[in-house]
Amino acid sequence: MRDNHVVGGPPVVTRAGQVHRGIHVFASDRDEPRARRPTDIALVLLNALGLVLLVIAARAGGVLEDDIDQLVAHLPLLLEGLWNFGVDLVVVWALGLVVAAVMSRRVPLARDNVLAAAMALVGCSIATFVTGSPRMSVASQLTASGGPPSFPALRLAMATAIIITASPHLGRPLRYSGRWIIGLASVSTIALGVARVGGVLAALAIGTIVAAVVHLVFGSPGGRPSVPRVEEMLNALGLQVHDLQPALLQPEGVWIVDACLPDGSPVRVKVYGRDAWDGQFVMSLWRFLWYRDAGSTMPTTRVQLVEHEAFLMLLARQAGVSAPAVVAAGGSHSGDAVLVVSADAVPLDSLRSVDDAVVRQLWHELDTAHASGMSLGRVDPDSIGADTAGRASLLDWAGGRTGPTAEQKLQDGAQLLVSTAMVVGDDRAIAAASDALGIERLEALLPYLQVAGMSSSLRRVSDERDYDLKALRTATATHIGVELPDLVKLRRVTVGSVLQLALLLFASLALIDALSSIDFAAVGDEFREMTLGAVFVGLGLAQVARASGAFSNQGASPAPLPYGPLLQLQFAIAYINMAVPSTAGRLALVVRFYQRVGSTAVTALGAGALDSVSNFVVQVALVVLTLGFGLGSIQFDLTTTLSQLPSGLLRLVTVVVVAFVAAVIVVLLVPSLRRRVMPAVDKFREGLVVLKNPRNAVLLLGGNLLVQVGYALSLGAFAEATGNRVGLFDLLLIINLVGTFASLIPVPNGMGVMEAGLTAGLVAAGVPEPAALAAALSYRVCSSYLPPVWGFFSMRWLQHHEYL
């Protein structure tokens, strides 16, 4: 079917594509560039969450799995052949993919497959250890045709990792076949008793996580069609073109080819491949969950992506906005969708010179679109441009929407200001925006000049060019003569808050495991019988210990700091940690304090890093000295101590250490992450200069030593309140060993981990379990949970005296 109608441009051709091609093993060429895709990030996060829940369920056991086992036991015996075929087929399929990669000389794909299988093996071993499941040899798991069930199902996990890793490289029929084979193998694994439901789901999660991590590290192809295949798609649409050439600029998820119509008019062909829908859907879902008032559209098919963009372009041209004319749109049997638009205008980034008049016209075009009830949603230097006559044009409407909110319009404006500044420079972009908008409207954009308000494409361009967004915000405020406003809170949640919640869940489970054998009635008796005087002494010592941190702060700073306000800052930080439980809130408070006393933000960050490292060094040194000289009464044997610690706590440490090592490897392998981490390392190195001054060194190390001694004496006072006396060296060992241990687990305020560790330490020192738990909980309340109360008043004092 062909429909021709004119809406502000040439006839629009729409037809379902009739491109018939044979089955191809690989959908992409060997040299097709790879990219890291948002779908892989989503797969890692979602499957990691599912794996955590499966591990927890595996430790607790499940009634549902028992019911499923009973159901499987009553299945007809005639299906046993199908089950054996299923578990063998997935292995044969996975090995066939590896062989195909080698035979076709796709060495990177073969490397990815082998690496995915090895990582799946490691992941299954870790999951087996964490759950405490019976261990079986690798050979027996790979060849098992029946019970006893294993957790996870190793053979299924390794095959799944290979199949999903190879999936982006394969043609559509083979990709779908692999998914059906994994499904059949999953059911077969349960039916044969090789693994239970939880073990199969865990294997699928591990395989998916491993494949996504491999894709994130090495990238994956987008299945871009070749130029002849694009020409066939256009012929199927009834559109004759010539001189097809891949465009120089290729955004993620879309394959762009430049071509000419028979009359010589230039057109731009946008092919939405299989990763276009994935990327669009995941980013839309991500922005909806992550940002306030995201309002993102989530199309269900690639053809809908094309229809959505074409519809907005037609509306824009009807409203008088300079936008590309839609020439043709449609889909093909291979699943790709095609949009052909006029290419009279070129991206602003491609022009040799850009007049200020063009920049002002861009603001006019954006205002016209907003007045007509449309917004772009995604603005970057490649999505805005001008034609040969010098008329500005809005080129990309893929992320657009109708009926935008006022906040979405402001985000459009903020993105346009950043995009034009990248092309013509900050000063010219700000001046043009000021002329087009006026001071009041330009001021309204300032709170939206932040990374959270930028589209993914603009953030990527900003990272590539190392663009300073903060400098643009400051320059804009200076140009219009206003004070820099606070940023609008666009994020619903942050990565840190999600990780903290997950770690807090782990720690809570570990604490429950540690306290499951304690008689809580006896603990209540210990609380009621505590000596009140010793409790008040412990409370006071805990505050003295926190206050001693002001000395180490003075030693870490190359600039002189007033002790009194610095003392108030220690308790204000305790309040901020409770009110805004993130590193960002604490850093903002410290940076503001340093700026108010005449220092700089760089100095604050360097001093904070040096103080934290110094505290860690003091903790480790006290543990080593106490154990090395045999001080105290606690007999410390590493093997015995580890065996006595709660199993949940040990598994938590194992998970964190493995995650830390994996994060370090990823940072070292990914240049963009490495560039972000190195500035922090450089700041720490610069902070070491203060140690050349003996006074600073004494204050830094001595202050942190006083902190540890003060907290040790406070814990001893609470132990004394229960009628149990613990020596100073034992207390130092407990405080510093547990503190060092807890610092390896980034749980907010050490919650759960510290309580379990202190209780275990006091028990090792000879304190009965109920009394040890009562003393540990009392100590934690007075040292960590009560200081935020008076920290609020310290915060008010600092604000009143203009230190914040």
Side-chain angles (χ1 to χ4, degrees):
M1 182 184 74
R2 173 182 290 184
D3 300 323
N4 294 335
H5 62 282
V6 179
V7 183
V12 179
V13 180
T14 60
R15 179 190 292 181
Q18 304 298 320
V19 182
H20 294 280
R21 300 177 64 88
I23 296 177
H24 292 268
V25 176
F26 296 104
S28 57
D29 297 330
R30 282 197 297 266
D31 56 352
E32 180 177 341
R34 295 184 173 197
R36 298 179 179 92
R37 309 186 187 284
T39 45
D40 294 319
I41 299 176
L43 286 174
V44 169
L45 295 177
L46 293 176
N47 283 278
L49 176 60
L51 184 59
V52 168
L53 297 177
L54 289 169
V55 168
I56 295 173
R59 294 187 61 195
V63 177
L64 177 61
E65 286 190 323
D66 296 334
D67 293 339
I68 294 177
D69 289 342
Q70 291 294 326
L71 174 64
V72 171
H74 291 83
L75 289 176
L77 294 178
L78 293 176
L79 293 178
E80 185 175 351
L82 176 62
W83 306 143
N84 286 311
F85 174 74
V87 296
D88 292 336
L89 178 61
V90 72
V91 176
V92 172
W93 187 267
L95 292 177
L97 294 178
V98 177
V99 172
V102 174
M103 296 295 293
S104 62
R105 292 178 295 179
R106 295 173 181 259
V107 177
L109 175 57
R111 173 207 61 199
D112 293 352
N113 287 337
V114 174
L115 180 61
M119 291 174 63
L121 174 60
V122 174
C124 289
S125 300
I126 294 173
T128 301
F129 170 75
V130 171
T131 57
S133 302
R135 299 184 184 181
M136 302 169 59
S137 67
V138 173
S140 61
Q141 291 185 72
L142 292 178
T143 58
S145 59
S150 61
F151 183 95
L154 177 61
R155 178 169 51 189
L156 179 62
M158 295 178 67
T160 300
I162 293 174
I163 293 172
I164 298 179
T165 298
S167 181
H169 301 261
L170 302 177
R172 192 182 188 188
L174 296 184
R175 289 202 311 275
Y176 279 74
S177 297
R179 297 171 187 174
W180 281 104
I181 290 172
I182 290 175
L184 174 62
S186 300
V187 176
S188 300
T189 301
I190 298 172
L192 293 176
V194 175
R196 305 181 75 183
V197 175
V200 167
L201 294 177
L204 296 178
I206 290 173
T208 305
I209 292 171
V210 164
V213 169
V214 171
H215 291 161
L216 287 173
V217 174
F218 297 106
S220 59
R224 294 176 176 176
S226 62
V227 171
R229 184 177 168 190
V230 173
E231 188 173 8
E232 288 184 17
M233 293 180 187
L234 297 178
N235 290 336
L237 286 171
L239 192 66
Q240 300 296 321
V241 296
H242 59 86
D243 295 337
L244 282 80
Q245 294 291 336
L248 296 177
L249 299 175
Q250 296 288 349
E252 289 186 8
V254 184
W255 178 234
I256 298 181
V257 177
D258 294 328
C260 291
L261 295 176
D263 62 0
S265 302
V267 292
R268 183 171 294 111
V269 183
K270 304 179 71 174
V271 182
Y272 286 82
R274 65 168 178 268
D275 67 330
W277 178 87
D278 295 341
Q280 182 77 5
F281 180 83
V282 171
M283 290 308 298
S284 297
L285 183 60
W286 175 268
R287 291 195 66 83
F288 174 76
L289 296 175
W290 214 250
Y291 300 107
R292 302 172 186 269
D293 196 23
S296 300
T297 57
M298 289 184 280
T300 57
T301 66
R302 301 170 203 171
V303 174
Q304 285 188 352
L305 284 173
V306 166
E307 292 173 345
H308 173 76
E309 185 174 1
F311 172 70
L312 284 173
M313 285 183 177
L314 292 171
L315 282 183
R317 290 180 65 85
Q318 190 176 38
V321 179
S322 179
V326 179
V327 178
S332 70
H333 285 286
S334 64
D336 298 326
V338 184
L339 174 65
V340 184
V341 298
S342 62
D344 301 326
V346 296
L348 215 62
D349 232 10
S350 302
L351 298 175
R352 293 184 178 180
S353 61
V354 179
D355 295 334
D356 291 342
V358 173
V359 180
R360 288 192 292 270
Q361 287 177 24
L362 286 170
W363 286 104
H364 172 72
E365 299 294 339
L366 185 63
D367 278 346
T368 304
H370 287 169
S372 303
M374 294 175 288
S375 74
L376 288 173
R378 184 172 67 208
V379 184
D380 56 56
D382 296 333
S383 66
I384 53 178
D387 56 22
T388 54
R391 184 187 179 190
S393 180
L394 304 179
L395 305 178
D396 189 352
W397 292 82
R401 58 179 68 88
T402 56
T405 64
E407 187 173 75
Q408 290 164 354
K409 294 177 181 179
L410 289 170
Q411 289 183 31
D412 274 358
Q415 292 183 82
L416 181 57
L417 179 57
V418 174
S419 299
T420 54
M422 288 183 180
V423 178
V424 303
D426 290 0
D427 293 338
R428 290 178 58 193
I430 294 169
S434 180
D435 293 341
L437 301 178
I439 294 178
E440 185 175 344
R441 291 183 61 193
L442 183 56
E443 182 181 359
L445 298 182
L446 287 175
Y448 294 88
L449 290 174
Q450 55 176 300
V451 174
M454 305 295 107
S455 65
S456 59
S457 59
L458 185 55
R459 288 198 300 271
R460 185 181 65 255
V461 175
S462 179
D463 290 340
E464 291 173 352
R465 304 185 184 189
D466 197 21
Y467 183 73
D468 192 344
L469 185 58
K470 294 181 180 178
L472 175 64
R473 188 166 61 245
T474 303
T476 304
T478 303
H479 179 85
I480 60 180
V482 299
E483 186 176 349
L484 200 61
D486 295 331
L487 298 177
V488 173
K489 295 181 179 179
L490 296 175
R491 286 193 176 101
R492 300 178 191 267
V493 291
T494 64
V495 175
S497 63
V498 174
L499 291 177
Q500 286 183 343
L501 180 61
L503 289 170
L504 189 58
L505 176 62
F506 267 119
S508 300
L509 292 172
L511 182 59
I512 293 171
D513 189 18
L515 304 181
S516 58
S517 61
I518 294 180
D519 183 358
F520 284 95
V523 174
D525 294 337
E526 292 290 346
F527 274 118
R528 286 188 291 271
E529 295 173 3
M530 273 187 170
T531 304
L532 195 57
V535 170
F536 281 114
V537 171
L539 173 63
L541 287 171
Q543 312 321 306
V544 171
R546 181 175 291 275
S548 300
F551 293 117
S552 64
N553 288 166
Q554 285 183 319
S557 174
L561 300 175
Y563 179 77
L566 196 58
L567 178 64
Q568 298 282 3
L569 182 65
Q570 308 306 308
F571 293 95
I573 290 174
Y575 168 72
I576 284 294
N577 285 340
M578 186 67 69
V580 186
S582 68
T583 304
R586 182 172 65 254
L587 285 179
L589 183 69
V590 174
V591 167
R592 186 63 170 170
F593 177 84
Y594 270 72
Q595 290 174 334
R596 285 294 192 178
V597 297
S599 190
T600 64
V602 175
T603 302
L605 295 175
L610 181 60
D611 192 15
S612 298
V613 173
S614 172
N615 184 58
F616 183 77
V617 169
V618 168
Q619 287 181 315
V620 173
L622 286 172
V623 170
V624 172
L625 288 174
T626 304
L627 294 177
F629 288 94
L631 305 175
S633 62
I634 297 178
Q635 298 299 317
F636 185 85
D637 179 74
L638 182 60
T639 304
T640 305
T641 303
L642 289 177
S643 64
Q644 291 177 349
L645 283 175
S647 59
L649 213 52
L650 286 175
R651 293 188 179 106
L652 175 60
V653 174
T654 302
V655 170
V656 171
V657 170
V658 171
F660 176 76
V661 173
V664 171
I665 294 174
V666 171
V667 168
L668 293 177
L669 291 175
V670 181
S672 59
L673 294 177
R674 196 163 59 244
R675 286 194 298 269
R676 293 183 181 181
V677 172
M678 288 311 297
V681 177
D682 294 336
K683 288 176 183 177
F684 174 70
R685 290 175 179 172
E686 294 172 2
L688 292 176
V689 176
V690 302
L691 296 180
K692 294 181 179 180
N693 187 328
R695 177 180 178 275
N696 285 74
V698 170
L699 285 173
L700 179 62
L701 299 174
N704 280 312
L705 179 60
L706 285 176
V707 169
Q708 302 305 322
V709 171
Y711 282 134
L713 292 175
S714 175
L715 178 62
F718 287 108
E720 186 77 24
T722 64
N724 297 276
R725 179 163 297 181
V726 182
L728 177 59
F729 289 109
D730 288 337
L731 293 169
L732 285 171
L733 180 61
I734 295 170
I735 284 290
N736 289 283
L737 191 60
V738 173
T740 304
F741 181 79
S743 65
L744 300 175
I745 307 174
V747 176
N749 207 18
M751 191 177 299
V753 179
M754 285 291 294
E755 283 82 354
L758 292 174
T759 302
L762 291 174
V763 170
V767 180
E769 275 194 351
L773 178 57
L777 292 177
S778 301
Y779 164 78
R780 287 287 287 165
V781 167
C782 294
S783 63
S784 298
Y785 306 137
L786 282 180
V789 176
W790 33 88
F792 169 77
F793 297 100
S794 295
M795 184 91 165
R796 296 290 297 271
W797 186 92
L798 290 170
Q799 291 173 334
H800 178 72
H801 290 83
E802 298 184 351
Y803 283 103
L804 294 178

